[in-house]
Amino acid sequence: MSQSRRLSAPLTTIFVLAGVGGLCWWGAREASDYIENRSHDDVTLALSTSGQDWVQVSTDGLQVRLEGTAPSEVERFRAMTQATTAVDAARIVDAMTVAPTEVLTPPEFKIELLRDDDGISLIGLVPASTDRPELISLLQHETAAPRIADLLESADYDVPDGWNDAMTFGIRAAQMATRAKISIKPGQVRVSAITDSRAEKGRLETGLKRSRPESVELITEISAPRPVIAPFTMQFLIDEDGAHMNACAADNPEGQARILDAAVKAGLQGKPGCTLGLGSPSPNWAEAVVQSIGAVAELGLGAVTISDADIALTVPASVPEDQFTRIAGGLEQKLPPVFSLHATHNRASDTPEGPADFIAMLSEDDILSMHGRITDERMGEAVDSFSRSRFSSVNSTLRSDGEVPEGWTLRIIAGLEALDELASGTVEVTPEMITLSGTSGHPDAAEQIAAGLGARLGAGARYNLSIRYDRWLDPALDLPDGEECVDRLNIILSESEIGFEPSKSTIAGDPGPTLARMSDAMVDCGEFQMEAGGHTDSQGSEGFNADLSRARAQTLVAAMKEAGIDVSNITARGYGESQPIASNDTEEGREENRRIEFRLMSPYPVRNEPLSPPIELNGVTTTTPRNPSGNVKFVPETGDTDEGIEFEGPQLPQITIAPVASGMVPATVGVSEEFQTMKEREENMRIPVQTPDETTPRPSPRPEEVGQANIEEHAEEEQDGTE
């Protein structure tokens, strides 16, 4: 027993120690596996969260092994950094590789050259081999820009193909375009510029195209100010052939889009056009046009003509009276302020004469456009001859219609005579009414025209007059025209002491007295569009002279503004050495070439305010017993015949309402005091015209000796100083 006990005690100890050792080993193994798995999971989660999915993670005890191919050295470093957020950096084994480095793509070289009155700014990226000081020096030498800002960055890469040609052409474009953004890329130059006139826009586009190298693509976006349109006109009609737009003007792109959209919705086919320009009588021009077109579209038939703020709506007899009244009344309520509506409904006549119409439009350029009906070809020739004797240019599309009423041609002549008294306007002649609207420089033009209609047509002719007074057209005010304003300024500059410092745009000396004279000359001239053009001699480069001349013109305009002169319609432009008036070989000639000249851009003043409301006059012509002086009276429709307004002058077959400049009244032989009907008057107009042929008698030629004797006699009279 004692020995077995002695043997069992060591064995028990051995077994206990073995069990404890096994438990320790198992615990250590489990702890190691736990640490490995936890490290693997933590590092994998950290890498996947940062987008490093290309990394393979493995663990060996406390070590964490990172394997995989990194896209770049930067990505490999990012993976190492991200793994250290999960485990200690000493436990990480970097077994990652980096992908072979590919050839890097060179950056996009580009220059934005911005030029305005303050100078030139260069922004962008250029090759490191670019000589930037030389580039700045070249711009300073070729332009007179007051400041050149170098904001360029460079990159050390090879110069791409087409870069040098594009740079050279871009610098040339900067010399030509004084207010522009010039984008330069390899093989491409884009020029976005603003010019002072359409003519300058054309010159700039032509100059850029001629200077462009074949290896460079040119893209241009050049804008110019709008022309002055006088009068501002729109004409839209719907007849049996559909919708037509004979004229259209708009004051801004938004209004232009609205007008064209309204015309298309009203049935106009194709791609209509509408000219953008200055001179709108109201900021609400587009609204008035859209409403007018909508009214014609709702009527289905008719025509609307807008001349400045006068709207004439004409509706044929086929449109019901109630529909005409409703739509015309609605249009009048929808029109913006300033605009006035004259609506005419051509009611059907009880006689078999048939409907007739005649419309004539007169522009401020004295161009007359006529369309409508005429009695026959001979009467058409008479109207055409009469029109050409009164107006500088005539466009006629009259068509013969034997069904027009008696005295129709006489009514047309009376309407044209009345239209001739206006600077611009529209006359519409129908069997029932003569409707005249437009602008005149005579405050009492409406009364004078009414008297003239009575003298021409006799009693019973209905008229509807709407005449606006424009102070610029009033001869009594003696306002200067555009040419006179420009001449005043140029005379002052030719006599002034205004000069500039050599090669600079700074005014030398005191310009005060000259600016005072210019201020007096610019009274009543601020509404005209003018250009102050600067000129230099031929010394210096062409580009530098162009910029210097423009800078000097801008300086003068700025000085005029500081002196209180309205220069809102004056622009500055530099012509450099391109327009010499004297030789550049002498100092005297160069001195004459260094100058500033004003030039008129448009003969029409820019209207800053709408015209005054028109003078409305509706009535019926009448004849009254003549007093010894031969005065003529007209009676307003709502007036009393005993209170007619008298107008001096006999009742002539052809009456000139406007006063003769010389104050003399032409004598008329054989004026009959017996009143003739309109038919009799029209018949008297039918003067036979014969075309000469071979049998037509002709005067025999004058003998040579008689002609020579007359010449010698005339020469002797001139020598004696007798007439």
Side-chain angles (χ1 to χ4, degrees):
M1 281 295 290
S2 59
Q3 186 168 354
S4 62
R5 290 178 179 175
R6 285 195 299 268
L7 291 174
S8 62
L11 290 174
T12 301
T13 302
I14 292 173
F15 284 126
V16 171
L17 292 174
V20 172
L23 290 173
C24 291
W25 176 84
W26 179 83
R29 181 62 182 270
E30 288 298 323
S32 175
D33 291 343
Y34 174 77
I35 293 174
E36 287 184 12
N37 294 335
R38 180 64 180 271
S39 299
H40 180 278
D41 294 342
D42 291 345
V43 173
T44 301
L45 179 61
L47 292 172
S48 61
T49 302
S50 63
Q52 308 291 333
D53 297 332
W54 53 269
V55 181
Q56 292 116 30
V57 181
S58 62
T59 56
D60 184 9
L62 295 178
Q63 290 184 340
V64 178
R65 186 179 181 86
L66 303 181
E67 297 176 320
T69 302
S72 64
E73 185 64 32
V74 174
E75 292 299 319
R76 185 198 67 80
F77 180 77
R78 288 182 57 197
M80 282 289 298
T81 303
Q82 195 66 25
T84 58
T85 62
V87 297
D88 187 80
R91 297 172 53 192
I92 298 175
V93 177
D94 182 7
M96 296 179 290
T97 59
V98 180
T101 303
E102 298 179 357
V103 178
L104 296 179
T105 303
E108 180 183 9
F109 291 114
K110 180 179 179 181
I111 292 180
E112 294 284 352
L113 193 153
L114 308 177
R115 183 169 188 192
D116 55 19
D117 297 340
D118 296 330
I120 299 176
S121 298
L122 299 172
I123 305 172
L125 182 66
V126 298
S129 59
T130 302
D131 190 345
R132 290 164 61 178
E134 177 64 22
L135 174 62
I136 301 302
S137 175
L138 179 62
L139 288 173
Q140 290 175 337
H141 178 71
E142 294 296 334
T143 70
R147 177 186 60 85
I148 298 179
D150 181 5
L151 305 177
L152 296 173
E153 296 182 359
S154 60
D156 191 7
Y157 289 89
D158 294 336
V159 177
D161 295 337
W163 173 256
N164 291 330
D165 289 344
M167 277 285 296
T168 302
F169 178 59
I171 294 174
R172 175 60 179 163
Q175 299 171 4
M176 302 169 64
T178 54
R179 284 176 292 176
K181 181 181 79 169
I182 302 172
S183 302
I184 304 173
K185 293 181 179 180
Q188 182 188 94
V189 174
R190 179 187 295 271
V191 180
S192 302
I194 301 175
T195 59
D196 294 330
S197 65
R198 294 178 62 85
E200 185 178 351
K201 174 185 176 183
R203 288 192 293 266
L204 178 58
E205 290 176 337
T206 302
L208 289 173
K209 290 177 181 178
R210 289 178 178 175
S211 304
R212 180 186 67 87
E214 294 183 358
S215 59
V216 177
E217 177 189 7
L218 172 63
I219 303 174
T220 59
E221 298 173 354
I222 303 175
S223 60
R226 306 172 201 154
V228 178
I229 301 175
F232 232 63
T233 307
M234 192 286 303
Q235 187 177 65
F236 181 84
L237 61 94
I238 298 178
D239 55 16
E240 295 80 2
D241 298 328
H244 311 275
M245 180 176 281
N246 298 329
C248 182
D251 54 351
N252 55 63
E254 295 77 12
Q256 181 188 49
R258 291 186 60 197
I259 292 172
L260 295 179
D261 183 63
V264 171
K265 289 181 179 178
L268 188 63
Q269 301 295 323
K271 296 182 178 179
C274 196
T275 304
L276 283 174
L278 302 175
S280 169
S282 168
N284 299 316
W285 166 264
E287 178 65 20
V289 174
V290 170
Q291 294 296 341
S292 301
I293 294 176
V296 176
E298 190 175 357
L299 288 166
L301 289 173
V304 62
T305 302
I306 307 179
S307 179
D308 282 334
D310 299 311
I311 302 178
L313 175 66
T314 305
V315 182
S318 57
V319 176
E321 177 67 23
D322 58 342
Q323 183 182 4
F324 163 76
T325 303
R326 175 177 55 83
I327 295 176
L331 174 60
E332 190 168 14
Q333 294 179 358
K334 295 176 183 177
L335 288 176
V338 178
F339 292 91
S340 58
L341 174 66
H342 312 280
T344 303
H345 190 201
N346 295 333
R347 299 175 179 83
S349 176
D350 297 334
T351 64
E353 295 169 345
D357 64 326
F358 170 87
I359 298 178
M361 297 179 59
L362 177 65
S363 70
E364 290 196 1
D365 295 328
D366 204 35
I367 299 176
L368 180 71
S369 300
M370 302 184 296
H371 67 271
R373 307 184 188 186
I374 194 66
T375 308
D376 52 31
E377 184 177 352
R378 181 173 296 180
M379 288 293 98
E381 293 176 355
V383 171
D384 186 73
S385 298
F386 176 85
S387 301
R388 295 185 186 280
S389 68
R390 294 294 187 98
F391 307 101
S392 61
S393 179
V394 178
N395 301 319
S396 176
T397 57
L398 298 177
R399 63 184 187 275
S400 299
D401 184 357
E403 299 298 325
V404 297
E406 294 182 355
W408 179 250
T409 305
L410 192 62
R411 294 176 65 86
I412 291 177
I413 294 294
L416 292 175
E417 282 181 337
L419 186 61
D420 188 32
E421 302 304 324
L422 303 181
S424 62
T426 303
V427 63
E428 180 180 4
V429 181
T430 65
E432 299 82 13
M433 181 77 70
I434 295 180
T435 304
L436 178 72
S437 62
T439 306
S440 172
H442 297 277
D444 55 351
E447 290 81 2
Q448 292 180 351
I449 290 173
L453 291 174
R456 169 62 74 181
L457 300 176
R462 295 175 59 86
Y463 56 82
N464 186 335
L465 308 180
S466 177
I467 311 299
R468 292 180 184 270
Y469 169 72
D470 188 351
R471 60 185 292 268
W472 282 102
L473 305 174
D474 193 341
L477 299 181
D478 194 26
L479 296 176
D481 58 15
E483 291 291 349
E484 184 177 351
C485 292
V486 168
D487 291 342
R488 290 178 181 177
L489 295 176
N490 286 331
I491 290 174
I492 293 173
L493 287 182
S494 66
E495 300 173 350
S496 73
E497 299 297 329
I498 285 187
F500 295 89
E501 296 182 2
S503 300
K504 295 182 180 180
S505 59
T506 305
I507 295 178
D510 181 17
T514 301
L515 292 174
R517 292 183 61 190
M518 296 179 74
S519 179
D520 295 337
M522 281 294 291
V523 175
D524 295 324
C525 290
E527 287 83 356
F528 289 102
Q529 286 186 314
M530 306 180 197
E531 175 191 88
H535 303 266
T536 66
D537 55 31
S538 60
Q539 294 179 327
S541 67
E542 181 180 349
F544 180 85
N545 288 334
D547 281 348
L548 179 61
S549 61
R550 181 173 181 271
R552 287 178 171 178
Q554 288 176 334
T555 300
L556 177 59
V557 174
M560 293 172 63
K561 183 177 181 180
E562 292 179 0
I565 301 174
D566 182 8
V567 296
S568 57
N569 291 314
I570 298 180
T571 58
R573 184 171 187 266
Y575 291 91
E577 59 188 78
S578 63
Q579 298 182 7
I581 59 175
S583 173
N584 281 304
D585 297 333
T586 64
E587 180 57 34
E588 293 78 8
R590 290 191 292 270
E591 179 66 26
E592 291 186 47
N593 291 332
R594 294 192 293 267
R595 69 197 189 279
I596 295 179
E597 292 180 346
F598 283 88
R599 184 167 66 96
L600 185 65
M601 305 300 294
S602 173
Y604 306 112
V606 178
R607 188 177 299 127
N608 298 321
E609 298 179 357
L611 293 175
S612 58
I615 299 175
E616 306 282 352
L617 197 61
N618 302 315
V620 180
T621 59
T622 183
T623 57
T624 59
R626 298 185 186 173
N627 54 31
S629 64
N631 294 350
V632 178
K633 291 186 178 182
F634 82 93
V635 179
E637 190 172 25
T638 58
D640 188 350
T641 57
D642 294 334
E643 298 180 359
I645 302 175
E646 293 188 353
F647 295 91
E648 304 243 340
Q651 180 136 344
L652 305 179
Q654 179 173 337
I655 292 180
T656 301
I657 300 170
V660 181
S662 62
M664 300 178 60
V665 179
T668 303
V669 180
V671 177
S672 174
E673 293 295 329
E674 182 180 351
F675 178 76
Q676 294 179 320
T677 65
M678 293 182 63
K679 181 177 180 181
E680 292 171 340
R681 297 186 185 189
E682 183 170 297
E683 289 299 326
N684 291 336
M685 297 175 58
R686 296 178 178 271
I687 302 175
V689 179
Q690 295 181 349
T691 303
D693 54 23
E694 297 178 356
T695 63
T696 302
R698 291 179 171 84
S700 58
R702 181 174 58 182
E704 294 183 1
E705 58 273 11
V706 175
Q708 183 64 29
N710 290 337
I711 293 175
E712 294 175 356
E713 181 181 357
H714 183 66
E716 292 177 357
E717 291 179 352
E718 288 185 346
Q719 185 174 3
D720 296 338
T722 61
E723 188 175 43

